[in-house]
Amino acid sequence: MMRQYLLCLTVAATMVLSLTASPRAFANADAALRLVSADADVAVVVPSLASLNEQVAELRQALNLPFEEMDDIVGMMFRQAGMSDGVDNSGPMVLSIFNLGQAIDTGGRPGMTLLIPVRNYQSFVGNFDGNPRDDVAVLTMAGGQTAFSRQLDNFAVLSDQRELAEAYTADGDPAVLRAHAGSVGSKYLDEASLAVYLNLDAIGPALINLIEQVPDMLGDDFAMMTEFGMDEATVEASRAMQQLYADGSRSMIESVQSIVFAFDLTERGLGMTQTFQLRDNSPLRELFPGTPSDAASELARLPDRPFLFATAVDDRPIRFNRMIKALLGVMPEEQLAMFGPVEQSIALLDQTHAYASAFYVPDQAAMMGGGLLNMLSTYRVEDTDAYLAAWRNTIEQMDEQEVDLPEGVDGQPAGTVSFRGTYTDDALQIDGVQIAQYQIQFDMPAELMQQMDNPFAAGMGAMSYGGYIAGKGDHIIMTTTTDPQIMRAALRALDQPTGIGAAGAIADIRDHAMPPNAAAESYVSLQGMAQMGNLLLMMFGGEPIEVPADVPPIAMGLGVEDDGVALRLFVPTGAMKAVGDAVEQLAPLFGAVGPMMPTQQQDRDRRPPY
């Protein structure tokens, strides 16, 4: 039953995509882009409804969904909209949005025109009691709204405004739109099931005007915080953070000429991508130089062991460190205090050129002893000795440091968090490399933990972690556990980068599903999640979760090329199925809402009569 509930959610999500999605659009992209109005501020493009049907049907079969209507998702969509006759379920579909900037400024409505492919325009208009002989037919839609339509070749031009339906011209120039989207945006226009294109040249000024109004719009909220007894310093810190977000948003809009949102649904899985094309004179170009990335090889320097989450970052293609330093430079002092010694953190950033980290599955003994944090990190640095000295200085500066928490809404002090740190040189030696050991402890106020009225939280008053740190060549290795075997494996992996992602599923995903020149890539392993979850399930007497070894990880990446930035999430089909299987298995154990789920027969009885 739980599975059917989840599959209902999957169907709902798929239907949302179906309004804006269709795969393998390589050959169809330009044909669809020509249908976009050259005056559109925003365009939503479905290159091929036929491909949509095919891919959604393949997804249903791969996930073993019981909903047969998904085999004709486009037909179901049209029938629910009252378009039972005359439509062409195989052509492209395009939505153009006009005067969006003016609508943002005035609070009015933008103009929208939808191009629907038709086989017989007369039959299409007849669905809504329209007269096909009229130059612009007046339609009464299924929900009772009035709309206007006219025929444009093999399409019905549909709008809620007569003048838009009458004047619409499909005069889009794919070359112009692609140039504005950039090479990265253009890549995902080709690959997308759905493409949403935003012209920030047109709507950017209105968005900036809206952002500049945010501080005034939030004025009453800040006043209310003061009325509820929150101290002035906390209110001012919140105000400063809001201003920081506003300034950052305005800077991004001023620096970007176009945005593309793209969804691709294929037999491999579901991909979601957002691209930004920087302007030629954008000050942000210095932060996105696009230098060839080496993130993949950094990830391969982590031992290939069962992990939950693994990530790698190269600071050369995208200047992450400069962004972090800039953020630290403008954050309010009250917020900065939670980051520890800022100057020491900046010193570490200045040393670092690349970073990789894996959260490994802890063994059973470590979990029983509370050792859930089993992370291994490597840093490619300018000078290992200087980095180690800076890290030791950070630990020593942290020792005995105290941070006052902001007052609560009742005006009462929330308490003080204290830090304690220790650092020991030459704690051990592995393969001729000297290893240091560190320990960091956070002491939370007892009164704060008691207020949470949670027996587990009360035991978290003193939290700590520690591990080993060492330098080898141009890399620093750091662990959050004092298991010497982890450090030994890491030292050897530096010399032979055949670890995580060097081959297998991650290497395959990197080739076909990650953004170009990925400066950052991250992976979530469902096998690792299952292994850790199974250790916890043993305490509840549950059956172990089984995730097949060939299920690829969920992948995320951030890349830059030709002044275009792409942020991408990819969820393999096998991962979607594994998650559904696991949730169905766990539902009875944790008393999920299984009894409320419809049975398969009940679901059939509730299907619409078509």
Side-chain angles (χ1 to χ4, degrees):
M1 292 182 180
M2 185 63 183
R3 180 183 185 84
Q4 292 197 18
Y5 173 72
L6 291 170
L7 298 185
C8 285
L9 295 180
T10 304
V11 171
T14 305
M15 288 183 62
V16 171
L17 285 175
S18 74
L19 297 175
T20 53
S22 162
R24 296 199 198 115
F26 305 105
N28 302 320
D30 276 1
L33 294 177
R34 291 188 184 96
L35 300 173
V36 176
S37 170
D39 296 327
D41 298 339
V42 178
V44 181
V45 178
V46 181
S48 170
L49 293 173
S51 295
L52 168 66
N53 259 358
E54 175 187 347
Q55 293 297 326
V56 172
E58 289 181 2
L59 177 66
R60 183 189 80 84
Q61 295 165 12
L63 298 180
N64 195 27
L65 301 179
F67 307 102
E68 297 176 1
E69 54 265 44
M70 288 181 66
D71 290 343
D72 184 20
I73 197 77
V74 172
M76 183 178 72
M77 177 184 68
F78 280 141
R79 287 190 293 271
Q80 289 181 338
M83 303 176 188
S84 56
D85 296 322
V87 294
D88 178 3
N89 291 2
S90 63
M93 189 164 64
V94 171
L95 172 69
S96 294
I97 301 177
F98 307 91
N99 303 319
L100 181 57
Q102 179 180 349
I104 294 172
D105 282 337
T106 63
R109 294 172 55 195
M112 292 186 283
T113 301
L114 180 65
L115 263 68
I116 300 173
V118 294
R119 296 186 183 277
N120 186 309
Y121 179 73
Q122 180 175 349
S123 298
F124 172 81
V125 172
N127 290 317
F128 309 105
D129 298 327
N131 185 349
R133 291 187 295 274
D134 292 342
D135 291 339
V136 178
V138 180
L139 312 182
T140 302
M141 306 305 290
Q145 310 94 325
T146 298
F148 304 91
S149 174
R150 74 176 175 90
Q151 185 172 9
L152 179 64
D153 298 327
N154 295 323
F155 293 88
V157 180
L158 192 66
S159 179
D160 63 347
Q161 300 179 40
R162 174 187 288 271
E163 58 272 21
L164 287 180
E166 186 174 21
Y168 188 87
T169 303
D171 55 355
D173 186 337
V176 172
L177 194 149
R178 287 179 181 278
H180 200 246
S183 63
V184 174
S186 183
K187 165 185 168 64
Y188 288 104
L189 286 173
D190 279 335
E191 297 181 4
S193 307
L194 154 84
V196 182
Y197 165 78
L198 288 79
N199 183 349
L200 288 193
D201 289 343
I203 64 177
L207 292 175
I208 291 174
N209 289 338
L210 183 63
I211 289 171
E212 290 177 345
Q213 297 172 27
V214 168
D216 292 336
M217 294 166 59
L218 294 177
D220 291 341
D221 294 337
F222 293 128
M224 189 177 300
M225 292 167 65
T226 301
E227 291 175 5
F228 281 146
M230 191 169 289
D231 68 282
E232 189 63 27
T234 301
V235 174
E236 287 305 312
S238 299
R239 193 191 307 273
M241 287 301 297
Q242 290 293 341
Q243 188 63 52
L244 181 62
Y245 297 146
D247 291 344
S249 299
R250 181 174 59 250
S251 177
M252 190 204 75
I253 292 171
E254 291 174 343
S255 298
V256 173
Q257 66 185 30
S258 66
I259 298 176
V260 171
F261 295 96
F263 301 84
D264 54 277
L265 181 62
T266 71
E267 66 278 2
R268 287 180 177 268
L270 172 65
M272 292 169 278
T273 310
Q274 183 176 1
T275 73
F276 306 86
Q277 184 62 30
L278 300 175
R279 302 183 190 278
D280 291 340
N281 60 348
S282 166
L284 291 185
R285 292 181 71 187
E286 295 183 1
L287 298 177
F288 298 90
T291 307
S293 175
D294 200 28
S297 66
E298 292 298 322
L299 190 67
R301 288 182 170 87
L302 299 175
D304 192 3
R305 297 184 171 197
F307 68 89
L308 287 81
F309 179 80
T311 188
V313 174
D314 189 336
D315 190 59
R316 294 173 302 175
I318 301 178
R319 304 300 192 192
F320 297 102
N321 291 347
R322 285 184 58 183
M323 296 182 198
I324 296 173
K325 288 171 60 177
L327 179 62
L328 293 175
V330 296
M331 285 184 66
E333 291 186 6
E334 291 79 2
Q335 302 289 336
L336 281 175
M338 300 305 296
F339 290 89
V342 175
E343 292 183 4
Q344 285 70 32
S345 299
I346 291 177
L348 294 173
L349 285 173
D350 288 337
Q351 281 282 330
T352 305
H353 300 310
Y355 162 82
S357 180
F359 190 158
Y360 289 114
V361 178
D363 59 36
Q364 184 174 352
M367 284 192 63
M368 294 305 178
L372 295 178
L373 188 61
N374 183 10
M375 291 186 66
L376 170 66
S377 303
T378 64
Y379 304 83
R380 191 175 74 238
V381 300
E382 189 73 26
D383 184 324
T384 54
D385 290 337
Y387 189 96
L388 290 171
W391 176 251
R392 176 170 185 164
N393 189 34
T394 299
I395 299 296
E396 292 174 345
Q397 289 287 326
M398 185 178 295
D399 193 34
E400 302 303 332
Q401 181 181 4
E402 293 185 347
V403 175
D404 292 327
L405 297 176
E407 294 180 0
V409 294
D410 58 359
Q412 298 301 313
T416 300
V417 178
S418 61
F419 300 83
R420 285 178 285 167
T422 60
Y423 189 95
T424 304
D425 286 313
D426 302 333
L428 72 158
Q429 186 181 92
I430 298 177
D431 297 337
V433 178
Q434 294 299 125
I435 313 294
Q437 185 173 345
Y438 70 94
Q439 188 75 21
I440 301 173
Q441 181 162 317
F442 308 84
D443 293 321
M444 301 291 289
E447 60 272 19
L448 178 63
M449 309 312 295
Q450 292 171 359
Q451 290 173 11
M452 296 174 67
D453 193 25
N454 185 320
F456 291 101
M460 293 173 60
M463 297 178 291
S464 67
Y465 74 94
Y468 295 130
I469 183 170
K472 182 179 180 180
D474 60 352
H475 279 77
I476 293 291
I477 304 172
M478 187 183 304
T479 72
T480 60
T481 175
T482 52
D483 180 0
Q485 298 308 316
I486 293 288
M487 179 60 79
R488 188 184 308 276
L491 288 169
R492 293 175 179 176
L494 284 182
D495 298 327
Q496 297 178 342
T498 57
I500 296 177
I506 289 180
D508 181 58
I509 286 178
R510 185 182 291 124
D511 288 342
H512 75 78
M514 294 296 276
N517 195 34
E521 52 183 71
S522 302
Y523 304 92
V524 177
S525 168
L526 296 183
Q527 291 89 350
M529 292 287 184
Q531 288 186 40
M532 185 166 180
N534 288 339
L535 295 175
L536 297 173
L537 282 175
M538 292 174 58
M539 302 180 344
F540 295 93
E543 293 294 324
I545 300 170
E546 295 184 5
V547 176
D550 60 350
V551 171
I554 297 171
M556 294 155 282
L558 178 65
V560 57
E561 189 174 74
D562 298 333
D563 292 331
V565 182
L567 176 64
R568 180 165 169 81
L569 169 68
F570 180 74
V571 185
T573 301
M576 287 188 270
K577 186 175 187 302
V579 170
D581 291 341
V583 173
E584 181 182 23
Q585 176 183 334
L586 294 175
L589 182 63
F590 293 102
V593 290
M596 298 173 60
M597 307 309 153
T599 65
Q600 191 165 350
Q601 182 60 49
Q602 288 172 332
D603 176 69
R604 291 195 186 99
D605 294 341
R606 295 173 186 175
R607 291 179 183 176
Y610 45 73

